[in-house]
Amino acid sequence: MNRLTIAGAVGALALTATPLTTHAATTSQSISGVHYLYAEVGDCPDGISVFKVSGSSLTLVQNIAVGCEDGGFFGAHHLRRTTKTTTGPACLFLANDGNAGVGAGVHSLAINGSTGALSLVSSVAGGSYPTDLLVLGRELVETDPPSSPSSPMEFNSYAIHNDCSLSLLQSSAMVGEVISIAALSGSEFVAPIYPGSIGTYKLNKLTGAITLVSAASAQVSGLDSAAVQIAQTASGQVVNVFTGQASSGPPQVEAAQMSATGSVLPFKGSPVLDGDASAKDGVGVLVSGSTLFQLNNTSSQLAWYQMTAGTPGSPGSVRYGGDIGVSGTPTEMVNLGSVLFVVGNVAIDACQIGPSGVSSCVAATNPFGGGPSALAIL
């Protein structure tokens, strides 16, 4: 049995070894090449753990303290990264909403190209509640949901400099509540607008202004997360948008093909309900190949849905696949090939993706002993 070993320690930290594949897995989850996994603590004070992912091992590289987080919104991506340029390092950005809004900010960290280790470059104030981040070329977009019913929703845009530092371009006030955003192409992105519409937005890369291009009615309410698939088919490119739902009962996912004007054509079978009656509180969606994933926070589950991409003008289909238990209360996931990493309040799980869904999930000990809330991978 191949094992996911967590080697190394910082200070008095003691880390344990956990199998990367289980008896139920039929193939190794060994990963080609060297990658780095970044996990946020999600506490106050906040911090990030850095792991080296190589072969079938996950090795702790660094724990770095940065920022302050008092909880956050379902569906948010607190960590985003860029790739290395010819003149500067790869960058990692962390959004913090502070403690009751105090100490909120967006932090910039440079990634060491040889070790994956982080060094803090700068911090900017951000909005009242910096929540989700999205990299669009050399610009960073931050969502700032209303801190109270009377407060406006804002997007903040930043220029990303070669040393990873940020400078504010513009704050753009919006109507409604946006938490999670996902890139479409170029300077456009999509977002669920709470409680029940899907908006397309455009970033002006010269001024940093963000404008709402279009809004389409969603099939379900309580939207809190988004994912985008851009697929090439024999008859042309399709852009598919997926949204998740926070609900006290089994959550739904919505799948739709998006046109160039922002209108949406629902997939056959959409919306689709989680088939496990105990599932609740969907907190994020992710698409990989022909599989759509949703995390169920308080029921400690990873759900998956099988789908087809469709063709231009003819939407695909989506159906429920299954659920599998994960550690603690999961908050975010990233995938690396056939491995899906899931982070929660007690562990980072490594889940194996197969043709019919998820075959196994195994836990690795959380090095902070707290509750990571975000992941990024390089």
Side-chain angles (χ1 to χ4, degrees):
M1 182 170 65
N2 294 326
R3 298 181 68 81
L4 174 63
T5 56
I6 303 182
V10 176
L13 295 174
L15 305 179
T16 61
T18 308
L20 180 58
T21 55
T22 68
H23 293 293
T26 57
T27 59
S28 168
Q29 287 187 9
S30 182
I31 296 169
S32 61
V34 175
H35 303 269
Y36 296 96
L37 182 69
Y38 300 89
E40 181 205 4
V41 176
D43 208 344
C44 191
D46 205 356
I48 300 171
S49 285
V50 183
F51 297 95
K52 179 181 179 181
V53 184
S54 179
S56 58
S57 67
L58 187 68
T59 305
L60 180 66
V61 172
Q62 178 192 30
N63 287 335
I64 181 171
V66 57
C68 171
E69 181 68 37
D70 71 352
F73 292 87
F74 282 2
H77 304 91
H78 293 179
L79 291 174
R80 293 288 193 179
R81 58 129 184 121
T82 67
T83 55
K84 181 180 179 181
T85 68
T86 56
T87 56
C91 310
L92 186 72
F93 304 106
L94 168 66
N96 275 151
D97 68 6
N99 188 349
V102 178
V106 180
H107 311 287
S108 309
L109 302 103
I111 301 175
N112 184 299
S114 300
T115 66
L118 299 172
S119 57
L120 181 64
V121 175
S122 66
S123 299
V124 294
S128 299
Y129 284 87
T131 296
D132 202 354
L133 299 174
L134 180 65
V135 173
L136 295 173
R138 297 303 293 176
E139 287 78 35
L140 181 72
V141 177
E142 166 220 328
T143 65
D144 191 27
S147 56
S148 68
S150 61
S151 300
M153 163 69 204
E154 285 187 346
F155 286 117
N156 292 311
S157 59
Y158 304 90
I160 303 172
H161 301 294
N162 286 340
D163 64 350
C164 298
S165 62
L166 298 172
S167 58
L168 178 67
L169 292 173
Q170 193 167 139
S171 295
S172 302
M174 296 287 163
V175 175
E177 180 182 88
V178 171
I179 296 172
S180 175
I181 52 181
L184 288 171
S185 60
S187 59
E188 292 193 336
F189 60 93
V190 68
I193 305 172
Y194 188 88
S197 59
I198 300 171
T200 302
Y201 297 85
K202 187 176 182 65
L203 168 70
N204 184 317
K205 287 181 170 281
L206 293 178
T207 66
I210 294 171
T211 54
L212 176 65
V213 177
S214 64
S217 296
Q219 293 179 290
V220 299
S221 61
L223 304 179
D224 69 350
S225 54
V228 171
Q229 177 194 53
I230 299 177
Q232 301 297 330
T233 73
S235 53
Q237 178 179 281
V238 292
V239 177
N240 296 323
V241 176
F242 307 90
T243 56
Q245 182 189 39
S247 63
S248 58
Q252 300 178 86
V253 293
E254 181 177 348
Q257 184 180 117
M258 177 169 279
S259 73
T261 61
S263 63
V264 293
L265 296 173
F267 275 31
K268 180 181 179 180
S270 176
V272 56
L273 184 70
D274 191 309
D276 189 323
S278 66
K280 57 183 178 179
D281 286 334
V283 297
V285 289
L286 180 148
V287 61
S288 176
S290 60
T291 308
L292 174 67
F293 301 95
Q294 178 164 239
L295 293 176
N296 297 329
N297 181 263
T298 54
S299 56
S300 302
Q301 294 167 309
L302 169 65
W304 67 92
Y305 303 81
Q306 300 297 330
M307 58 169 223
T308 60
T311 57
S314 179
S317 62
V318 61
R319 62 177 177 83
Y320 172 69
D323 280 88
I324 192 170
V326 293
S327 302
T329 54
T331 49
E332 195 171 358
M333 54 190 158
V334 295
N335 74 296
L336 184 60
S338 63
V339 180
L340 185 73
F341 292 103
V342 177
V343 68
N345 66 329
V346 298
I348 300 170
D349 283 15
C351 302
Q352 183 169 357
I353 306 171
S356 58
V358 181
S359 59
S360 63
C361 289
V362 292
T365 299
N366 168 24
F368 277 95
S373 63
L375 285 176
I377 203 155
L378 178 65

